[in-house]
Every structure is written in C-alpha cells, then in structure tokens.
Amino acid sequence: MTDQSFSLLRIPLSSRIALLGLGLVGWHIALIVGVTGNADQVVLSLLFWGAIVDQGRQAGPLRWARSPLARILGLALLALLCLKSLPITATESAFVRLFPLLAFAGWSLVVRQGQSGHGWKVWALVVALSVPPRTLPLVLETVLDRPLRVATAAAAAFGLHFLGFDVAQQGTFIQLPSGTVEVEFACTGAALLGLLLQVSVLLAVVTAWAKIRGLILGSVAIAALLSTVRVAIMAAVVGNEALFQFWHGSSGGQLFTLLALAILSYSALGKDGRLATHNNG
C-alpha cells in the first residue's frame, strides 16, 4: 500500500461515512443544476440538506449498519440511483425531486447513528424536500378549482372597492373601467402555499417543532393574503400592458414569494432572529 492509502485508513470511520453522505448531497445538487437549472431550488435544497446534516450531527457518530444484508441492499439502492441519473442531462425532473427520499432510504440501510438513530425530524425534512412542487396545487385544483378562484376574485374586488376603485366582480372576473381580468387557478396562491408548507417543516425543525401548527396556519393566511393582493394589483393596472405583464409574470411573482418567505421566517425565528438552542419539539 502507498502512504496515501495508509492516510485514508487513518481517517476516522465516521468521517469516511460522512464523505459518502456529502457525496450524495453533492450529486443531488448537481442533478438540480443539470436537469432543472433552477437556482431557487438549489438554494432551498442546500438549506434543507444543511438542516439534515445538523440533525444527523446531533444524533451521534456514524457507524456501518450491523446487518450485512441491510448494507448490501442499501449500497445497491444507492448504486442504482447513481446509475439511473447518468447521464444527468437525460434524467427526469420528477426523479430529481424524489432523489433525496430514495437516497436517504438507502443511506438508512447502510448506516446507523448513535443511540437515537436518524430521528423522525430528519425524515420529516427529507420527505418535505422530496415532495413534488405540483402535488398540492394539483390536489387543490382538482377539488377546489372554481371556489378558490371565485374567493380570490371576490377578496381582490373587495379590496379594490375599499380603496375607492370602481370595480365589479362576477364569478372569476374582476371588471374595472380600464379592463377586465379573469382569475386563473395559478393566481390563487396554491403553488405559493405548497412552498410555504415545505419551508414550514424546515423552520419548525431548526427552531421548535411545537411551532409547526402555527406555521401551517400562517402559511395558509400568507398565501391567501398575498395572492389576493397580487390579483388586486394586476386588476388595478390592467390598462397598462407593461405593468400588468410585470406583476403577472415571474418577476412580480418572485417579489411576492420572497415577501411571503420573509414573513414566515420572521414569524418562526421571532424578533431576536435566533434559532432555538435545543430542538426538543
């Protein structure tokens, strides 16, 4: 053996296992960049993985699983995942989304950690990270499509009327002297709600799990309020094509998304802006 081989053997076992885990994290980020090219998803995934690593660090040192069969099955699953995602450019986006859940399932077969194991909070983070973004909007659109659109239109029209606009609402349509807008399902805030619920799990884990109920209710309120405000703004500027396209497009949507995340994060972290010292739930 070379001196370099002996140096690798001298690395603590937990550190060598941790390198395997970090490799899986890096592979997932590479898949996001190569397949979706979504910078927002990269940032969100890094935040989730950071919380997962921190929870794992608190659970104690890493060890190989006692069962040889479990190790073989886990390593086989991880190998299949890596082979499935080659080449990266041919990988489906749905597979990229599910990669953390499948990878962590394989990891859990290969590795045992301390006396407390990985913990249910880690699984909560992994599941939240892996849920496809269209899941909640698809469910809500199937069950509550028109009621949500009508409710959003009514709330936006009421707000505009309160501010002195000459406005009328008929079903999903908002009518003003400058033009008429129709509230589509994408304007109801369902996608924003899905993101906020996902982030709520992250915030509850890094602060205190007891906050999860309040964060869920807060997510619903924030998504409903901000989607109504956005629709009201689009209705108010419907006569100005440039302004309407700005607020209707991705730039306007991004502003409201950032605002929603800021409000939710502030409500979880509190006025002092500090994370909880202990995560006792």
Side-chain angles (χ1 to χ4, degrees):
M1 281 190 174
T2 64
D3 292 340
Q4 185 177 7
S5 299
F6 282 114
S7 298
L8 290 174
L9 290 175
R10 284 196 291 267
I11 298 176
L13 176 62
S14 60
S15 298
R16 279 181 275 162
I17 300 175
L19 288 175
L20 172 62
L22 292 176
L24 292 172
V25 173
W27 192 256
H28 180 230
I29 299 303
L31 287 173
I32 295 175
V33 174
V35 176
T36 70
N38 191 325
D40 293 340
Q41 188 59 41
V42 170
V43 173
L44 188 64
S45 296
L46 286 173
L47 290 174
F48 267 87
W49 282 122
I52 291 168
V53 170
D54 181 64
Q55 290 293 313
R57 179 184 58 80
Q58 296 179 37
L62 297 166
R63 296 288 186 270
W64 295 120
R66 290 189 178 91
S67 169
L69 179 60
R71 292 200 300 269
I72 292 172
L73 290 175
L75 289 173
L77 176 57
L78 295 178
L80 287 173
L81 285 176
C82 292
L83 289 174
K84 165 66 178 174
S85 55
L86 287 174
I88 288 178
T89 53
T91 303
E92 302 88 349
S93 58
F95 174 79
V96 175
R97 190 74 185 194
L98 292 173
F99 183 90
L101 181 60
L102 298 173
F104 195 73
W107 170 265
S108 298
L109 289 171
V110 174
V111 175
R112 59 186 173 91
Q113 191 166 10
Q115 296 182 348
S116 59
H118 294 295
W120 60 269
K121 288 184 180 179
V122 179
W123 278 105
L125 287 168
V126 172
V127 171
L129 176 60
S130 303
V131 173
R134 279 287 300 161
T135 301
L136 181 63
L138 183 60
V139 172
L140 291 178
E141 186 174 11
T142 303
V143 179
L144 296 172
D145 179 18
R146 183 169 177 79
L148 281 177
R149 294 165 60 201
V150 172
T152 303
F158 175 81
L160 289 170
H161 176 75
F162 181 79
L163 293 174
F165 285 84
D166 182 12
V167 58
Q169 178 242 337
Q170 285 189 335
T172 60
F173 291 90
I174 302 175
Q175 300 171 341
L176 292 95
S178 55
T180 300
V181 296
E182 181 182 9
V183 178
E184 299 178 347
F185 182 78
C187 302
T188 61
L192 177 59
L193 176 59
L195 174 62
L196 293 179
L197 291 177
Q198 182 184 18
V199 174
S200 293
V201 176
L202 173 63
L203 291 171
V205 168
V206 301
T207 56
W209 188 256
K211 295 182 179 181
I212 187 64
R213 182 178 178 182
L215 287 170
I216 290 174
L217 294 176
S219 297
V220 174
I222 293 169
L225 176 62
L226 292 187
S227 62
T228 299
V229 171
R230 186 182 179 195
V231 168
I233 291 175
M234 288 189 288
V237 301
V238 66
N240 187 318
E241 183 65 20
L243 280 177
F244 179 83
Q245 290 302 327
F246 174 82
W247 291 111
H248 185 261
S250 58
S251 297
Q254 190 73 14
L255 289 177
F256 276 94
T257 299
L258 291 175
L259 178 59
L261 291 173
I263 296 172
L264 185 67
S265 300
Y266 181 80
S267 67
L269 299 177
K271 295 181 179 180
D272 56 3
R274 295 180 296 180
L275 300 179
T277 304
H278 301 287
N279 290 326
N280 296 325

